[in-house]
């Protein structure tokens, strides 16, 4: 097994992958007032709709653990459950065979991620980046992924609030992300940004993650895997970039509010994940880690 390139947190690129950038950046480097951005945007995460897909995955994982002989059936059920073509009633025969405590626990699985999304098209003109918000289509699929990955199946998320989308600092962030791509890919003219607004909520004794799929790619040309907006009462949450063997760590950094991680994604040798976050022992309430993530596709 490969070993990390450095035992300490690292922030920069590796010359072996110069064609495929990865770097930590700050809001200040994009010309954004960090304190004002965080103050204005952080509250909007607290009322986002819950992401139900983590619940569905966990419920089926519990059934797989209890009934390994039903793996093929349950894998197909998860795909149908994921895409809203089935409910738990389809596997009532298995639920009825669970001990009472296990069934109650399965039916009590609670979400831990809040989420919303929005899409934008940015075109570089003689007047700079011109932006168009695309119609709200809350069904999202990471279509360039291997078909065996659940994330290639459509999911339905709430649209991002207009008050967030219209915030001028957030608009500047979208333009700044486009500029990062233009530096990495000179000559790019048109981009589509899918922006994910997510908040992980950590309850006592419960780990939570924005990367339940483990080491992965997101199915876009470039990504900002996370721009942290709020980090309160948590430990963990280290962002990592891996080389093509998915073992050698090229970058590891625990992003702080106002810091983001930009990198090449599909078609590159780079992979990534983020370690689970836990509620810190000193926290007086639930831990929070809120981020903005960007899937960036090149159009021309």
């Amino acid at each position: 097994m490969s070993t990390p390139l450095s035992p300490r947190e690292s922030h920069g690129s590796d010359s072996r992958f110069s064609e495929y950038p990865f770097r930590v950046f700050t809001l200040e480097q994009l010309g954004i007032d960090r304190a004002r951005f965080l103050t204005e945007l952080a509250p909007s995460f607290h009322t986002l709709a819950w992401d139900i897909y983590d619940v569905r995955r966990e419920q089926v994982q519990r059934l797989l653990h209890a009934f390994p002989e039903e793996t093929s059936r349950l894998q197909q059920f998860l795909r149908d459950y994921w895409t809203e073509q089935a409910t738990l009633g389809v596997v009532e025969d298995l639920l009825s065979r669970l001990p009472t405590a296990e069934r109650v626990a399965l039916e009590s699985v609670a979400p831990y991620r809040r989420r919303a999304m929005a899409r934008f098209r940015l075109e570089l003109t003689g007047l700079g980046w011109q932006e168009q918000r695309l119609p709200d289509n809350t069904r999202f699929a990471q279509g360039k992924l291997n078909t065996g990955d659940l994330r290639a199946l459509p999911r339905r998320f709430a649209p991002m609030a207009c008050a967030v989308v219209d915030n001028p600092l957030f608009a500047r962030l979208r333009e700044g992300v486009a500029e990062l791509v233009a530096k990495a890919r000179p000559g790019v003219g048109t981009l589509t940004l899918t922006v994910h607004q997510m908040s992980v909520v950590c309850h006592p004794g419960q780990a939570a993650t924005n990367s339940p799929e483990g080491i992965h790619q997101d199915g876009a040309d470039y990504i900002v895997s996370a721009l942290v907006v709020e980090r309160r009462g948590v430990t963990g949450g280290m962002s990592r970039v891996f080389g093509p063997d998915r073992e050698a760590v090229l970058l590891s950094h625990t992003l702080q509010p106002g810091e983001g991680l930009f990198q090449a994604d599909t078609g590159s040798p780079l992979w990534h994940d983020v370690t689970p976050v836990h509620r810190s022992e000193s926290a007086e309430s639930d831990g929070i880690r809120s981020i903005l993530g960007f899937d960036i596709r090149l159009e021309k």
Side-chain angles (χ1 to χ4, degrees):
M1 179 175 177
S2 301
T3 56
L5 297 181
S6 170
R8 65 183 182 279
E9 290 197 345
S10 54
H11 298 248
S13 298
D14 186 298
S15 59
R16 294 173 297 167
F17 302 96
S18 56
E19 185 179 350
Y20 304 103
F22 57 95
R23 55 168 290 209
V24 173
F25 66 91
T26 67
L27 288 174
E28 290 90 342
Q29 290 169 339
L30 302 185
I32 298 171
D33 184 314
R34 183 189 304 219
R36 183 181 163 200
F37 182 96
L38 301 179
T39 298
E40 293 186 12
L41 270 293
S44 67
F45 289 80
H46 302 165
T47 56
L48 296 175
W50 290 106
D51 182 345
I52 60 173
Y53 295 97
D54 298 315
V55 174
R56 293 175 179 174
R57 180 191 287 109
E58 175 63 21
Q59 287 174 328
V60 176
Q61 286 299 321
R62 288 174 182 248
L63 286 172
L64 283 166
H65 180 75
F67 305 107
E69 70 279 6
E70 298 283 355
T71 295
S72 179
R73 175 190 173 188
L74 287 170
Q75 287 177 339
Q76 181 57 53
F77 167 69
L78 178 55
R79 295 176 68 85
D80 294 339
Y81 193 26
W82 192 265
T83 55
E84 302 176 4
Q85 299 178 66
T87 67
L88 279 177
V90 172
V91 290
E92 176 58 35
D93 59 311
L94 299 182
L95 294 172
S96 66
R97 290 163 54 190
L98 288 173
T100 300
E102 290 185 22
R103 175 163 183 165
V104 169
L106 182 147
E107 293 178 344
S108 300
V109 172
Y112 62 83
R113 280 197 288 187
R114 296 180 178 275
R115 192 161 184 162
M117 62 173 284
R119 288 189 177 93
F120 306 87
R121 178 174 289 115
L122 278 75
E123 182 177 0
L124 186 59
T125 71
L127 300 176
W129 291 100
Q130 302 300 305
E131 181 186 83
Q132 173 192 7
R133 182 175 183 180
L134 300 178
D136 283 332
N137 176 0
T138 56
R139 292 180 69 81
F140 172 71
Q142 289 165 295
K144 292 186 180 181
L145 296 167
N146 184 294
T147 55
D149 191 314
L150 281 172
R151 293 172 301 137
L153 300 176
R155 289 172 284 173
R156 191 186 305 275
F157 299 124
M160 198 176 293
C162 290
V164 175
V165 170
D166 295 340
N167 184 293
L169 297 175
F170 183 34
R172 172 56 199 150
L173 174 61
R174 299 191 295 270
E175 183 177 312
V177 169
E179 290 167 358
L180 290 175
V181 177
K183 289 178 182 177
R185 187 72 67 90
V188 66
T190 307
L191 309 171
T192 298
L193 306 183
T194 300
V195 188
H196 303 272
Q197 184 183 14
M198 293 179 283
S199 185
V200 166
V201 181
C202 299
H203 305 296
Q206 176 189 17
T209 182
N210 264 329
S211 183
E213 59 279 339
I215 299 171
H216 65 285
Q217 293 183 332
D218 283 343
D221 296 303
Y222 295 91
I223 60 172
V224 173
S225 58
L227 183 286
V228 173
V229 177
E230 185 175 19
R231 182 184 169 92
R232 171 168 52 84
V234 297
T235 60
M238 177 179 285
S239 297
R240 300 183 295 186
V241 178
F242 296 84
D245 62 1
R246 309 188 202 184
E247 294 183 348
V249 179
L250 307 179
L251 179 150
S252 60
H253 182 63
T254 303
L255 297 168
Q256 299 303 311
E259 293 182 332
L261 175 55
F262 170 77
Q263 68 175 88
D265 191 61
T266 295
S268 83
L270 304 178
W271 298 75
H272 68 281
D273 76 352
V274 60
T275 61
V277 292
H278 302 262
R279 178 179 179 269
S280 61
E281 294 182 0
S282 60
E284 298 181 355
S285 59
D286 289 337
I288 299 289
R289 182 178 183 267
S290 298
I291 71 163
L292 291 164
F294 291 75
D295 291 333
I296 307 151
R297 290 183 170 82
L298 308 182
E299 293 192 11
K300 61 181 180 178

